[in-house]
Amino acid sequence: MPDTPPIIAVLTALPIEYRAIRTHLTDIETEVHPTYGTRAEVGRLPDSPWRVALLETGGGTHGAATLTERAMSWFSPEAVLFVGVAGALKNDIEIGDVVVATKVYAAHGGKETPEGFMSRPETWHAPHHLEQAARHVLRDERHVHFRPIAAVDVILTDSSSTLAELIRRHYNDAAAVETEGSGVATAAHFSGTAGALIIRGISDKADTNKTAANATEAQQMAAANAAEAAVAVIRQLKPKGARPNDFDTVPAPELAVNGTDNPVPIAATTLPHRNGGFTGRSAELSCLLPQLAPAPSGSTAVPLLASAVTGMGGIGKTALAIEAAQQACSLGWFPGGTLFIDLRGYAGEPVAADQAVLALLDALGVRGPDLPQQKARQYDAYHRLLSERKDRMLLILDNASDPAQFLRLLPGSDLHRVLITSRDRPDSLPVRLTGLGELTSDESTALVTRALHDADEHDDRAEREPDALRELAALCGHLPLALQTAAALLRRRRHRDIASLVTRIRDADDPTLVLNNGSRGTDLYGRPLAVRPVLDDSYRRLHPDQARLLRLLALAPGPETGPEAVAALADLGMETSLCLLEDLAATHLVTPIQVGQGPTAVVRWRPHHLLRRFTAAIVAADANFQKEGEAARERLLAFYCRWATAADDRLRWLPGRPAPERFASRAQALAWLDTERVGLLAAVQWAQEKKYTRAAVRLAERLAEYLSQRRYFDDLITVARTSRKAARRIGDRQGEAVACNNLGIALREAGRTEEAVDVLTHACDLFQAAKDRHSEAGTWNNLGNALQAVGRVGKAIEAFTHARDLHRAAGDRLREAAAWGNLGSALRETGQAKEALAVLTRARDLHRSTGDHPAEATAWNNLGNALGDVGRVEEAIEAYNKALENCHNFEDWYGAGLAFRNLAVVHEPARHPAEAHAFWLKAADAYAQADAPTEAAHARTWAKALE
């Protein structure tokens, strides 16, 4: 072995690139150039013979050339690598990918002539031996590209600029652009060596989004990926003069199969390590284990073809399969042992069945001269060996993406068992499926807690920060791979709290960038702890129509979306939309969620939280996808507005009016609104974007009656505030007035009465300025309610009287009746019992004449109170029962609660405690059904007092 450890020079331009390389080195020492004062750090690369001299050049070709020449004269390195970040020039190059430069163009060389710019290209090719080493070690990494790059002395942030056009015209095969490569290549060439290898991680698209991309984790991810690729290349190199066995750490290349570059997979006769942190999945294990159990003696049941664990990438399929296998083996179910093979179905080159059978035969002892040469004979030998085995075996075919990978590998014997893991459901085969979903919140936090404790038993962050831990689990979408990656990040950040990681993930445009190679580690199965590549692989495999629908679904408001809304979003027919959704569900990229039971049940569709953020980032990074997404959101808003308007019309409908479209009953309208509620509320928030403002404001107006009837006053406050702000921003005074009126109603019902008075007063002023007397009258009525609630009863009576007079002048008997009713209640509060009774009787009669039965129920309740005031108890009880009849007919549970409360109150003075007790309990039940917990608790307290 050489006496002096050989050295390689690695240069970077930016500190983030420098740190990415330095992380891989040990035993680092600082060296200072005796003449120029240039500083370098020299460290060892573990598991290799190499020392690495690391230098930071700064940006630009001049500094890169100078430092490259200096490093070569100073250290006499056997190879030079320049490692850093770059901007992609091609659509098939994604952020986080790595480009190994096969040649470097000095893109500024040329001559400006009257005919235009005449390129005089200077090109530096990658050293052959370094490129070959890189191709060997990185060929199976699908995110690594061997392509030319362009080097310029200008930072490119506009893909439509003159410079960008120049590069496209004269260097059109360049995959990326950066600012140092030509300087490094030139210096390395003129220093008398074979040149330098340039390795670049892609951090942006060299367009106007460059700054935004750099502000995220994109640069860090790109630098880390480039550094890992560079380190892999260095480990492939052998020092000059080394004998074949001098350096055992340099791995030998794997054998090729059938003349291809695909390496022969390895089949193991021992199971991979059991995941010590395996968490949850008790229901899935109880389902899966019986499928592996031996058939009872004398059983005539048809044996399973195979069992399959399916779920999205990173959901923990392999971990569950190994856990089930370990438990089954510990029970003695497989005395013949196990065979395990990773089919790498979602890697760049999945393992074909022809390759897998060779690995399985090798594991079974068939190799060398005993191995048949013909493929058919190889399969025959494999099946014969399994059929001749009398002891049961378990075959685990991990990570299959296509039945073609495993069908010919099935034993064909009733004795043995097969367990397959896949992201795709093999629906065309009689395979028993066990589908995996997200972990529960408790299971997720337990996984992270255990991972922290396993690394350091004194790590008490999980116990100190339970709220931050739960939020971290939610941000990870309760996905095991994301949780494991987050735990690895926390172990690296030992002196920082969980909340800091929560903030970092929450604030990222795409959380998968944070949860991507952040730990630079692998799981127990040797797979990278990185979320983004898993999602990227799944997305890239989709048919274009499926990928489009997934992108658009990520833009839908709310976590789940109904089938009609999905069809509107994608501008597709229902049948086409449902077929695509079912295809996506088969690959576990969306999950069907059943809402309700029986014939009224509705299936809604939910992409995983991290997948939604991932695909939304894909849309944001592509101008064409952005336009497609904007059009989709406009369609969805139009869909929501149409049917929310129809549902609102049905809720306000009275006999004699034209019937609204679609909804034949109030119950149907409420059912649709209840089902779509989350999406509707989220769509209103789009009002903050100018292009959607008017439609979103209109949608907010059509939700007010529903939210009020369902007593979702917190939601109504949010919706009305958003609508008010948006309407004000675009100068829509009418829309602002309507939003203020709805906001005032919600604030009063929520007990924030002083705020309600201010908002409703402003609404009155806006309607008055707009000369909208009809809306002004209704707002005076609402203002009167707020004034009464704060104890300004005299002012409330004035407001109700004004509202009544305005409605009467407009001929609006319906709203005039409401004003009469409110006026009567205010008069009761001032002790004017007889006047109140007359006014409330007038309100009851008006409501009855208009056919507004829900309002009539309120009028009966109020009239009953007035009758009780003057001692007419029997008539009061009759009025409350009339109110109950109307409330039950229209499912007005809050009104029913009021009526039961009034019946309880009127029975107590009459010395009927049993009846009063029963009515208080009924009031509590009605209030609870109306989602009024405070009133329900109050009623239960009164009932308990009468026990």
Side-chain angles (χ1 to χ4, degrees), residues 56 119 122 193 242 263 276 332 338 396 412 423 430 476 480 524 537-539 547 605 637 790 807 870 875:
E56 184 179 333
S119 175
E122 192 170 27
T193 71
T338 60
I396 301 178
R423 299 180 198 175
C476 290
L524 288 176
D537 287 338
S538 296
Y539 173 78
W605 303 87
L637 262 179
V790 296
H807 284 311
V870 296
E875 292 176 75

PDB file of all heavy atoms in Angstrom, residues 56 119 122 193 242 263 276 332 338 396 412 423 430 476 480 524 537-539 547 605 637 790 807 870 875:
ATOM      1  N   GLU A  56     -12.712  26.594  -1.022  1.00  0.00           N
ATOM      2  CA  GLU A  56     -13.863  27.394  -1.448  1.00  0.00           C
ATOM      3  C   GLU A  56     -13.367  28.524  -2.344  1.00  0.00           C
ATOM      4  O   GLU A  56     -12.556  29.354  -1.929  1.00  0.00           O
ATOM      5  CB  GLU A  56     -14.593  27.960  -0.234  1.00  0.00           C
ATOM      6  CG  GLU A  56     -15.855  28.727  -0.574  1.00  0.00           C
ATOM      7  CD  GLU A  56     -16.556  29.250   0.659  1.00  0.00           C
ATOM      8  OE1 GLU A  56     -16.404  28.646   1.752  1.00  0.00           O
ATOM      9  OE2 GLU A  56     -17.249  30.284   0.559  1.00  0.00           O
ATOM     10  N   SER A 119     -21.173  32.482 -32.415  1.00  0.00           N
ATOM     11  CA  SER A 119     -20.582  31.752 -31.305  1.00  0.00           C
ATOM     12  C   SER A 119     -19.205  31.219 -31.672  1.00  0.00           C
ATOM     13  O   SER A 119     -18.989  30.725 -32.778  1.00  0.00           O
ATOM     14  CB  SER A 119     -21.496  30.591 -30.897  1.00  0.00           C
ATOM     15  OG  SER A 119     -20.887  29.816 -29.903  1.00  0.00           O
ATOM     16  N   GLU A 122     -15.869  27.332 -26.727  1.00  0.00           N
ATOM     17  CA  GLU A 122     -14.719  26.663 -26.133  1.00  0.00           C
ATOM     18  C   GLU A 122     -15.283  25.556 -25.260  1.00  0.00           C
ATOM     19  O   GLU A 122     -16.145  25.814 -24.405  1.00  0.00           O
ATOM     20  CB  GLU A 122     -13.899  27.648 -25.302  1.00  0.00           C
ATOM     21  CG  GLU A 122     -12.543  27.108 -24.905  1.00  0.00           C
ATOM     22  CD  GLU A 122     -11.676  28.206 -24.302  1.00  0.00           C
ATOM     23  OE1 GLU A 122     -12.250  29.163 -23.751  1.00  0.00           O
ATOM     24  OE2 GLU A 122     -10.458  28.108 -24.387  1.00  0.00           O
ATOM     25  N   THR A 193      -2.913  18.244 -16.323  1.00  0.00           N
ATOM     26  CA  THR A 193      -3.636  17.024 -15.928  1.00  0.00           C
ATOM     27  C   THR A 193      -4.679  16.726 -16.987  1.00  0.00           C
ATOM     28  O   THR A 193      -4.826  17.428 -17.979  1.00  0.00           O
ATOM     29  CB  THR A 193      -4.332  17.215 -14.566  1.00  0.00           C
ATOM     30  OG1 THR A 193      -5.427  18.117 -14.753  1.00  0.00           O
ATOM     31  CG2 THR A 193      -3.378  17.766 -13.540  1.00  0.00           C
ATOM     32  N   ALA A 242      -1.645   1.593  -7.300  1.00  0.00           N
ATOM     33  CA  ALA A 242      -2.197   0.677  -6.301  1.00  0.00           C
ATOM     34  C   ALA A 242      -2.316  -0.720  -6.873  1.00  0.00           C
ATOM     35  O   ALA A 242      -2.686  -0.902  -8.025  1.00  0.00           O
ATOM     36  CB  ALA A 242      -3.564   1.166  -5.850  1.00  0.00           C
ATOM     37  N   PRO A 263     -27.730  -4.632 -12.685  1.00  0.00           N
ATOM     38  CA  PRO A 263     -27.017  -5.553 -11.807  1.00  0.00           C
ATOM     39  C   PRO A 263     -27.915  -6.693 -11.373  1.00  0.00           C
ATOM     40  O   PRO A 263     -29.120  -6.559 -11.267  1.00  0.00           O
ATOM     41  CB  PRO A 263     -26.643  -4.672 -10.604  1.00  0.00           C
ATOM     42  CG  PRO A 263     -27.667  -3.590 -10.609  1.00  0.00           C
ATOM     43  CD  PRO A 263     -28.008  -3.344 -12.034  1.00  0.00           C
ATOM     44  N   GLY A 276     -36.786  -2.272  15.105  1.00  0.00           N
ATOM     45  CA  GLY A 276     -36.999  -2.174  16.542  1.00  0.00           C
ATOM     46  C   GLY A 276     -37.989  -1.094  16.914  1.00  0.00           C
ATOM     47  O   GLY A 276     -38.592  -1.131  17.987  1.00  0.00           O
ATOM     48  N   GLY A 332     -42.835 -20.953  14.312  1.00  0.00           N
ATOM     49  CA  GLY A 332     -42.447 -22.217  13.681  1.00  0.00           C
ATOM     50  C   GLY A 332     -43.227 -22.537  12.432  1.00  0.00           C
ATOM     51  O   GLY A 332     -43.263 -23.698  12.002  1.00  0.00           O
ATOM     52  N   THR A 338     -36.807 -18.781   4.786  1.00  0.00           N
ATOM     53  CA  THR A 338     -37.377 -17.677   4.020  1.00  0.00           C
ATOM     54  C   THR A 338     -36.456 -17.302   2.860  1.00  0.00           C
ATOM     55  O   THR A 338     -35.257 -17.558   2.890  1.00  0.00           O
ATOM     56  CB  THR A 338     -37.573 -16.433   4.913  1.00  0.00           C
ATOM     57  OG1 THR A 338     -36.299 -16.028   5.432  1.00  0.00           O
ATOM     58  CG2 THR A 338     -38.525 -16.711   6.055  1.00  0.00           C
ATOM     59  N   ILE A 396     -40.704 -13.653   0.219  1.00  0.00           N
ATOM     60  CA  ILE A 396     -41.090 -12.246   0.286  1.00  0.00           C
ATOM     61  C   ILE A 396     -40.549 -11.535  -0.944  1.00  0.00           C
ATOM     62  O   ILE A 396     -39.333 -11.458  -1.150  1.00  0.00           O
ATOM     63  CB  ILE A 396     -40.565 -11.571   1.563  1.00  0.00           C
ATOM     64  CG1 ILE A 396     -41.108 -12.291   2.799  1.00  0.00           C
ATOM     65  CG2 ILE A 396     -40.959 -10.090   1.591  1.00  0.00           C
ATOM     66  CD1 ILE A 396     -40.616 -11.719   4.109  1.00  0.00           C
ATOM     67  N   GLY A 412     -46.267 -22.104  -7.074  1.00  0.00           N
ATOM     68  CA  GLY A 412     -47.119 -23.107  -7.691  1.00  0.00           C
ATOM     69  C   GLY A 412     -47.336 -24.292  -6.783  1.00  0.00           C
ATOM     70  O   GLY A 412     -47.705 -25.390  -7.226  1.00  0.00           O
ATOM     71  N   ARG A 423     -46.716  -0.618  -4.149  1.00  0.00           N
ATOM     72  CA  ARG A 423     -47.499   0.613  -4.085  1.00  0.00           C
ATOM     73  C   ARG A 423     -48.770   0.509  -4.918  1.00  0.00           C
ATOM     74  O   ARG A 423     -49.660   1.344  -4.785  1.00  0.00           O
ATOM     75  CB  ARG A 423     -46.665   1.800  -4.590  1.00  0.00           C
ATOM     76  CG  ARG A 423     -45.411   2.060  -3.791  1.00  0.00           C
ATOM     77  CD  ARG A 423     -44.637   3.248  -4.360  1.00  0.00           C
ATOM     78  NE  ARG A 423     -43.251   3.238  -3.890  1.00  0.00           N
ATOM     79  CZ  ARG A 423     -42.320   4.084  -4.290  1.00  0.00           C
ATOM     80  NH1 ARG A 423     -42.636   5.022  -5.174  1.00  0.00           N
ATOM     81  NH2 ARG A 423     -41.088   4.006  -3.826  1.00  0.00           N
ATOM     82  N   PRO A 430     -56.062 -12.844  -8.084  1.00  0.00           N
ATOM     83  CA  PRO A 430     -56.698 -13.283  -6.830  1.00  0.00           C
ATOM     84  C   PRO A 430     -55.706 -13.283  -5.675  1.00  0.00           C
ATOM     85  O   PRO A 430     -55.313 -14.324  -5.143  1.00  0.00           O
ATOM     86  CB  PRO A 430     -57.177 -14.698  -7.169  1.00  0.00           C
ATOM     87  CG  PRO A 430     -56.206 -15.175  -8.204  1.00  0.00           C
ATOM     88  CD  PRO A 430     -55.833 -13.967  -9.015  1.00  0.00           C
ATOM     89  N   CYS A 476     -45.905  15.785   8.947  1.00  0.00           N
ATOM     90  CA  CYS A 476     -45.346  14.629   8.229  1.00  0.00           C
ATOM     91  C   CYS A 476     -46.442  13.758   7.635  1.00  0.00           C
ATOM     92  O   CYS A 476     -46.147  12.713   7.027  1.00  0.00           O
ATOM     93  CB  CYS A 476     -44.480  13.786   9.160  1.00  0.00           C
ATOM     94  SG  CYS A 476     -42.934  14.576   9.641  1.00  0.00           S
ATOM     95  N   PRO A 480     -44.882   7.004   7.904  1.00  0.00           N
ATOM     96  CA  PRO A 480     -43.715   6.475   8.624  1.00  0.00           C
ATOM     97  C   PRO A 480     -42.371   6.950   8.075  1.00  0.00           C
ATOM     98  O   PRO A 480     -41.478   7.303   8.847  1.00  0.00           O
ATOM     99  CB  PRO A 480     -43.884   4.959   8.492  1.00  0.00           C
ATOM    100  CG  PRO A 480     -45.370   4.768   8.437  1.00  0.00           C
ATOM    101  CD  PRO A 480     -45.877   5.937   7.641  1.00  0.00           C
ATOM    102  N   LEU A 524     -33.398   0.659   7.885  1.00  0.00           N
ATOM    103  CA  LEU A 524     -32.810  -0.653   8.146  1.00  0.00           C
ATOM    104  C   LEU A 524     -32.668  -1.493   6.890  1.00  0.00           C
ATOM    105  O   LEU A 524     -31.956  -2.492   6.879  1.00  0.00           O
ATOM    106  CB  LEU A 524     -33.676  -1.400   9.172  1.00  0.00           C
ATOM    107  CG  LEU A 524     -33.603  -0.878  10.607  1.00  0.00           C
ATOM    108  CD1 LEU A 524     -34.578  -1.635  11.487  1.00  0.00           C
ATOM    109  CD2 LEU A 524     -32.187  -1.004  11.157  1.00  0.00           C
ATOM    110  N   ASP A 537     -40.910   9.312  -7.746  1.00  0.00           N
ATOM    111  CA  ASP A 537     -40.984   8.070  -8.513  1.00  0.00           C
ATOM    112  C   ASP A 537     -42.437   7.690  -8.798  1.00  0.00           C
ATOM    113  O   ASP A 537     -42.780   7.285  -9.911  1.00  0.00           O
ATOM    114  CB  ASP A 537     -40.294   6.928  -7.760  1.00  0.00           C
ATOM    115  CG  ASP A 537     -38.778   7.053  -7.779  1.00  0.00           C
ATOM    116  OD1 ASP A 537     -38.250   7.738  -8.668  1.00  0.00           O
ATOM    117  OD2 ASP A 537     -38.129   6.473  -6.890  1.00  0.00           O
ATOM    118  N   SER A 538     -43.282   7.819  -7.783  1.00  0.00           N
ATOM    119  CA  SER A 538     -44.691   7.472  -7.971  1.00  0.00           C
ATOM    120  C   SER A 538     -45.351   8.394  -8.981  1.00  0.00           C
ATOM    121  O   SER A 538     -46.125   7.949  -9.839  1.00  0.00           O
ATOM    122  CB  SER A 538     -45.433   7.555  -6.628  1.00  0.00           C
ATOM    123  OG  SER A 538     -44.934   6.610  -5.718  1.00  0.00           O
ATOM    124  N   TYR A 539     -45.050   9.671  -8.906  1.00  0.00           N
ATOM    125  CA  TYR A 539     -45.650  10.645  -9.816  1.00  0.00           C
ATOM    126  C   TYR A 539     -45.193  10.405 -11.262  1.00  0.00           C
ATOM    127  O   TYR A 539     -45.997  10.442 -12.201  1.00  0.00           O
ATOM    128  CB  TYR A 539     -45.289  12.060  -9.362  1.00  0.00           C
ATOM    129  CG  TYR A 539     -45.712  13.147 -10.324  1.00  0.00           C
ATOM    130  CD1 TYR A 539     -47.038  13.567 -10.384  1.00  0.00           C
ATOM    131  CD2 TYR A 539     -44.783  13.756 -11.167  1.00  0.00           C
ATOM    132  CE1 TYR A 539     -47.436  14.561 -11.263  1.00  0.00           C
ATOM    133  CE2 TYR A 539     -45.167  14.750 -12.046  1.00  0.00           C
ATOM    134  CZ  TYR A 539     -46.494  15.148 -12.097  1.00  0.00           C
ATOM    135  OH  TYR A 539     -46.879  16.126 -12.974  1.00  0.00           O
ATOM    136  N   ALA A 547     -51.663  11.956 -13.975  1.00  0.00           N
ATOM    137  CA  ALA A 547     -50.792  12.974 -13.380  1.00  0.00           C
ATOM    138  C   ALA A 547     -51.490  14.335 -13.371  1.00  0.00           C
ATOM    139  O   ALA A 547     -51.397  15.080 -12.393  1.00  0.00           O
ATOM    140  CB  ALA A 547     -49.475  13.057 -14.149  1.00  0.00           C
ATOM    141  N   TRP A 605     -62.546  12.110  -2.075  1.00  0.00           N
ATOM    142  CA  TRP A 605     -61.206  11.664  -2.466  1.00  0.00           C
ATOM    143  C   TRP A 605     -60.157  12.561  -1.852  1.00  0.00           C
ATOM    144  O   TRP A 605     -60.247  13.783  -1.932  1.00  0.00           O
ATOM    145  CB  TRP A 605     -61.092  11.649  -3.990  1.00  0.00           C
ATOM    146  CG  TRP A 605     -62.143  10.777  -4.605  1.00  0.00           C
ATOM    147  CD1 TRP A 605     -63.413  11.130  -4.948  1.00  0.00           C
ATOM    148  CD2 TRP A 605     -62.023   9.379  -4.888  1.00  0.00           C
ATOM    149  NE1 TRP A 605     -64.097  10.042  -5.440  1.00  0.00           N
ATOM    150  CE2 TRP A 605     -63.267   8.956  -5.424  1.00  0.00           C
ATOM    151  CE3 TRP A 605     -60.995   8.449  -4.763  1.00  0.00           C
ATOM    152  CZ2 TRP A 605     -63.494   7.637  -5.814  1.00  0.00           C
ATOM    153  CZ3 TRP A 605     -61.226   7.140  -5.158  1.00  0.00           C
ATOM    154  CH2 TRP A 605     -62.462   6.750  -5.680  1.00  0.00           C
ATOM    155  N   LEU A 637     -64.755  27.139  -8.590  1.00  0.00           N
ATOM    156  CA  LEU A 637     -65.497  28.212  -7.944  1.00  0.00           C
ATOM    157  C   LEU A 637     -66.870  28.390  -8.583  1.00  0.00           C
ATOM    158  O   LEU A 637     -67.873  28.605  -7.889  1.00  0.00           O
ATOM    159  CB  LEU A 637     -64.706  29.522  -8.028  1.00  0.00           C
ATOM    160  CG  LEU A 637     -63.889  29.913  -6.801  1.00  0.00           C
ATOM    161  CD1 LEU A 637     -63.140  31.217  -7.055  1.00  0.00           C
ATOM    162  CD2 LEU A 637     -64.778  30.053  -5.575  1.00  0.00           C
ATOM    163  N   VAL A 790     -76.496  44.194  24.300  1.00  0.00           N
ATOM    164  CA  VAL A 790     -75.559  44.942  25.155  1.00  0.00           C
ATOM    165  C   VAL A 790     -76.301  45.806  26.171  1.00  0.00           C
ATOM    166  O   VAL A 790     -75.684  46.625  26.855  1.00  0.00           O
ATOM    167  CB  VAL A 790     -74.622  45.823  24.299  1.00  0.00           C
ATOM    168  CG1 VAL A 790     -73.741  44.964  23.417  1.00  0.00           C
ATOM    169  CG2 VAL A 790     -75.381  46.851  23.477  1.00  0.00           C
ATOM    170  N   HIS A 807     -89.394  48.063   6.018  1.00  0.00           N
ATOM    171  CA  HIS A 807     -89.916  46.848   5.387  1.00  0.00           C
ATOM    172  C   HIS A 807     -91.367  47.041   4.947  1.00  0.00           C
ATOM    173  O   HIS A 807     -91.762  46.581   3.858  1.00  0.00           O
ATOM    174  CB  HIS A 807     -89.820  45.664   6.352  1.00  0.00           C
ATOM    175  CG  HIS A 807     -88.428  45.103   6.504  1.00  0.00           C
ATOM    176  ND1 HIS A 807     -87.640  44.786   5.441  1.00  0.00           N
ATOM    177  CD2 HIS A 807     -87.703  44.788   7.627  1.00  0.00           C
ATOM    178  CE1 HIS A 807     -86.479  44.295   5.863  1.00  0.00           C
ATOM    179  NE2 HIS A 807     -86.499  44.298   7.203  1.00  0.00           N
ATOM    180  N   VAL A 870     -98.253  37.609  31.302  1.00  0.00           N
ATOM    181  CA  VAL A 870     -99.549  38.130  31.772  1.00  0.00           C
ATOM    182  C   VAL A 870    -100.383  37.049  32.451  1.00  0.00           C
ATOM    183  O   VAL A 870    -101.596  37.226  32.652  1.00  0.00           O
ATOM    184  CB  VAL A 870    -100.340  38.756  30.591  1.00  0.00           C
ATOM    185  CG1 VAL A 870     -99.601  39.955  30.024  1.00  0.00           C
ATOM    186  CG2 VAL A 870    -100.611  37.724  29.500  1.00  0.00           C
ATOM    187  N   GLU A 875    -102.265  29.028  27.653  1.00  0.00           N
ATOM    188  CA  GLU A 875    -102.064  29.510  26.285  1.00  0.00           C
ATOM    189  C   GLU A 875    -100.567  29.543  25.942  1.00  0.00           C
ATOM    190  O   GLU A 875    -100.168  29.281  24.784  1.00  0.00           O
ATOM    191  CB  GLU A 875    -102.674  30.902  26.118  1.00  0.00           C
ATOM    192  CG  GLU A 875    -104.196  30.929  26.208  1.00  0.00           C
ATOM    193  CD  GLU A 875    -104.732  32.350  26.138  1.00  0.00           C
ATOM    194  OE1 GLU A 875    -104.742  32.918  25.027  1.00  0.00           O
ATOM    195  OE2 GLU A 875    -105.106  32.895  27.204  1.00  0.00           O
TER     196      GLU A 875
END
